[in-house]
Amino acid sequence: MGLSIPAAAQIRALSDTPIPELPALLVPALGETLAMVGIVMLIVVALGTPIAVALHNMAPGGLYEHRGTYSVLSWIVNIGRSLPFLVLMAAIVPFTRFVTGTNIGIAAAVVPMSLAGIPFFARLVENCLREVPRSVTAAARASGGSPLQIIRSAQLGEAVPAILGGLTINTIAMIEYSAIAGTIGAGGIGYVAVTYGYQRFDQTVMLATVILLIVMVTVVQLTGDALVRATTPHLRRRA
Amino acid sequence: MISLKNLTKVYGHGDKSVTVLDNLEIDVATGEILAIVGPSGAGKSTLAQCINLLERPTSGQVIVNGEDLARLPERKLRVARRRIGTVFQSASLLSRRTAAENIALPLQYLGVTPAETKARVAELLDRVGLSHRANHYPFELSGGQLQRVGIARALALRPSVLLSDEATSGLDPETTRSVVSLLRQLRDDLDLAVVFITHEMDTVLHVADSAARLENGRITEQGSLVDLLTDHDSALGRALQPRLSPADPGAGSRAWHVTYDSRTVPADWLQRVSADLGEPVALLAATIQSIDGTSTGNATVGLHAPEPRAAAAFALHGLRAVPREAAAPEARTASAPRSSEELQWA
């Protein structure tokens, strides 16, 4: 899944890319970044949330209190959180190749990004669940709820605004990781920024990618904030 | 009705084990409100969790309507919990659900159809006087209204036992009174056995029919409110009485502490004792109230008559009188403001 660099841009090599040619360069890159982050976030939410719920409820005082399993799970999550993304990405290349059959391109970037994103999101959500007052879970239990019903309505349900806040943070972190992944050939904005802006001193492309990243992160943050407001009764009513 | 038999809860194992509840025997009949009082750390919250089976007792039985629930397997226990409604201390409502949606929670868990749920929730809202707040979120409700929603939720599955775990703690006196009168009303209407756990002594007089004192995991005293209040040896009875700051008896006069010693003290005892002693008896402080139709109370009076004669005059009317200096626990200048908890358990 290589990057289609217009011939004109290649010829110009060490001079700046003319502004009219920027869209042809940036639009496909933006698409690749969005695809990478989108796929990764789906995986992260799908796997990170159950891990967070498990961590929260196996911790002392949880619905399935189990110190041993909690320690093991917590330890695994910590490993995922310990490695700087660049190191993680390099370290798991054999695994990535085993899973995707390749070590370049979007598919190959998704594996390390997910492995970094899942434990990150799990910790964020675990924190959100911890903020829900214990008495709420107790009341749900006293109301005759099954563990699944309690987790859904009293734990995750109550933490929705906080989780959306965490999701926003996580998505922005994944945009950042996608740029790092870009340097090993995953494409996307990061790849363009490094190959044009850094390696060829193309200031126009550099500036354009910076602006594009700022806009992307701002849009994600504003969307996240709006979702938090929409799901928090006292913020919604006042607005 | 609910009975706790030999209820014991031990945390930890071996040398490190702590016995939080020690062989409790408690019975609450249908239509009865039992207040369980005790200082912080006495085991009240553990007891609450054993009653609604959020914690399994280490040994002993929790019998509701003849069935022991303490030993049921987990799945059946979940069903059994529905027979016991619990009202928690504030902040146990789901903040993202309206009052009506919060009350509907137990019904949704049970799998009741939306139409039935809606009807039942409307009925419950009406019962707790909150029909006009159905679509309000918890942040829009006052402390008393939040507790009413909590009560309605606890009643959603028509339990036969209602457990109030510090439900009025932290509410202002007026709100406490309204919540308490609602609980009494519901007890009458729905034939509930109510266990009312609190650390607030003042509330007990207004809500309970009987009271038990929990200290260090043991029931040290229990009985009907009237018995406790007319029993001079009852520390719990004394603690339940409001503390008074008597006026000064005046020169030459002596202060006496008078307590109701029988269930048939005449209402005009002050006049009668005055007449018997041939001197006007001064009333310096008094609190008299009717508990289940029986007058109970205590008073401080000032008079000149010599000790044996005065004591006899009071005894004639079912009162017990002790010269104030001798009435040790009450002989305290109550001018210094102290927290109510400290006052109760001092």
Side-chain angles (χ1 to χ4, degrees), chain B residues 150-221:
Chain B
I151 291 169
R153 178 179 65 186
L155 294 173
L157 301 176
R158 304 180 198 276
S160 51
V161 177
L162 188 68
L163 169 68
S164 157
D165 184 8
E166 299 279 2
T168 58
S169 305
L171 297 179
D172 61 75
E174 195 168 331
T175 310
T176 298
R177 266 197 294 283
S178 85
V179 169
V180 158
S181 70
L182 174 65
L183 284 175
R184 287 186 71 88
Q185 175 78 43
L186 293 167
R187 180 274 311 263
D188 294 341
D189 294 353
L190 306 173
D191 262 338
L192 296 166
V194 181
V195 183
F196 188 91
I197 296 180
T198 185
H199 69 272
E200 295 172 332
M201 289 299 221
D202 328 355
T203 317
V204 175
L205 278 183
H206 298 116
V207 72
D209 305 307
S210 51
R213 181 188 181 107
L214 186 66
E215 262 174 310
N216 297 320
R218 288 175 192 210
I219 297 287
T220 51
E221 221 185 323

Side-chain angles (χ1 to χ4, degrees), chain A residues 78-140:
Chain A
N78 280 344
I79 292 176
R81 296 276 302 123
S82 316
L83 298 179
F85 182 65
L86 195 59
V87 176
L88 176 85
M89 194 168 63
I92 64 157
V93 163
F95 176 72
T96 305
R97 194 175 304 171
F98 171 74
V99 175
T100 63
T102 174
N103 54 356
I104 52 161
I106 290 183
V110 163
V111 176
M113 282 173 72
S114 300
L115 278 182
I118 290 166
F120 185 29
F121 191 63
R123 283 289 184 222
L124 285 174
V125 174
E126 187 196 7
N127 250 318
C128 301
L129 295 177
R130 206 179 291 145
E131 296 298 313
V132 176
R134 227 155 242 258
S135 61
V136 173
T137 298

Side-chain angles (χ1 to χ4, degrees), chain A residues 133 135-136 138-147 149-150 153-154 157-158 160-161 231 233-234 236-237, chain B residues 52 54 78 81-82 84 86 88 90-97 105-106 108-109 135 137 139-140 153 157:
Chain A
S135 61
V136 173
R141 287 180 68 207
S143 299
S146 70
Q149 287 173 323
I150 294 168
S153 58
E158 278 295 279
V160 159
T231 50
H234 69 270
R236 184 168 64 219
R237 288 276 165 115
Chain B
N52 63 16
L54 292 183
R78 184 148 55 78
R81 270 188 206 125
R82 295 178 174 143
I84 301 157
T86 307
F88 292 86
S90 59
S92 70
L93 298 182
L94 300 182
S95 64
R96 299 184 54 242
R97 285 173 170 238
L105 190 73
Q108 286 168 355
Y109 283 166
N135 296 318
Y137 285 91
F139 83 94
E140 298 169 300
R153 178 179 65 186
L157 301 176

Side-chain angles (χ1 to χ4, degrees), chain B residues 3 15 23 25 32 83 87 117 129-130 141 152 159 168 186 202 271 323 338:
Chain B
S3 304
D15 295 344
N23 252 312
E25 292 279 340
E32 180 188 353
R83 293 191 219 167
V87 188
T117 301
L130 281 180
L141 301 174
T168 58
L186 293 167
D202 328 355
Q271 282 76 14
R338 304 174 78 181

Side-chain angles (χ1 to χ4, degrees), chain B residues 37-62:
Chain B
V37 296
S40 313
K44 294 197 300 294
S45 41
T46 305
L47 176 58
Q49 288 177 318
C50 285
I51 291 176
N52 63 16
L53 299 160
L54 292 183
E55 283 276 356
R56 232 183 244 278
T58 308
S59 65
Q61 298 172 300
V62 177

Side-chain angles (χ1 to χ4, degrees), chain A residues 5 8-10 25 80 91 93 97 103 115 122 133 168-169 199 202 205 217:
Chain A
I5 301 161
Q10 284 174 345
L25 185 65
V93 163
R97 194 175 304 171
N103 54 356
L115 278 182
T168 309
I169 293 172
Q199 288 167 355
D202 186 331
V205 174
V217 169

